[in-house]
Each structure stands twice: as C-alpha cells, then as structure tokens.
Amino acid sequence: MFRVSVLVFGLCLFGQTALCQEVTDGSTGTITPQELAALVASLPNFLKDPESARLSKLHLDPDNQDYVCGFLNAKNGFGGYVGDQPFRYGLKNGMLITDMNTPC
C-alpha cells in the first residue's frame, strides 16, 4: 500500500494531472471509468490549476446521456477555491460548461 501511495504522489508531482483530481463524495458509481477519465483529462484545457479540481455529485444528464453533470470546485488565479460550480461536460464534443444555468 505504501508503494502505491508513493507512486501516485510521485506521478502527481511530475505532471500526471489525471491522477491528482479528487471526487469528494464517491459519486463516480453513476458514470463509467472511461467517462470519468475523459472528464478528468479535459480539465487542464479549462482550469488555471487543474490539479486542484474537486468534483462532486457526478451523474449522466437524464435528458441526454452524452453529458456528465456535477459540481466542480477548483482554485482560481489567486490560489483560493471558488466554491462548487455546476458543470456539464460533453462526452462527444469535449466541452466543459460551468454556468449557474447548466441544465442538469
């Protein structure tokens, strides 16, 4: 177990950002590992500090299964967390939308 922890910690230090994000409420059971991996891999394209990302309440959009919805909390340019923001991620188009009016 110690070796695995050291390996993950080491990968986080050396730029493998996909392993550093955190799902804070265990809601990954509602989406597949491939869908979670696609979402996490897209975060560096949209966030100033993608390694700080905290995801919660993940689920597929009940009206359109091509979208993962949930809440995202990440650090801003000043280093402070901004608070949970609703998001919608398109599995087919790779777009991440954070908006209070996100329809999920």
Side-chain angles (χ1 to χ4, degrees):
M1 180 65 184
F2 176 73
R3 289 181 188 168
V4 173
S5 298
V6 170
L7 175 64
V8 170
F9 180 71
L11 289 173
C12 289
L13 285 179
F14 295 107
Q16 298 296 326
T17 60
L19 295 175
C20 302
Q21 289 78 21
E22 177 182 4
V23 178
T24 59
D25 64 354
S27 61
T28 56
T30 60
I31 62 173
T32 68
Q34 294 82 8
E35 292 164 342
L36 178 61
L39 168 60
V40 168
S42 75
L43 293 177
N45 298 326
F46 301 103
L47 299 176
K48 189 170 275 292
D49 184 0
E51 294 163 351
S52 70
R54 296 178 181 172
L55 304 166
S56 61
K57 298 181 183 164
L58 299 176
H59 63 279
L60 289 176
D61 183 343
D63 297 327
N64 186 342
Q65 299 288 303
D66 293 334
Y67 291 93
V68 173
C69 300
F71 287 87
L72 171 67
N73 188 8
K75 289 183 179 180
N76 61 20
F78 297 107
Y81 280 94
V82 297
D84 284 341
Q85 303 293 314
F87 77 88
R88 186 175 193 209
Y89 173 74
L91 294 168
K92 291 187 177 181
N93 64 14
M95 293 301 299
L96 181 74
I97 301 167
T98 57
D99 184 357
M100 295 307 282
N101 297 318
T102 300
C104 283

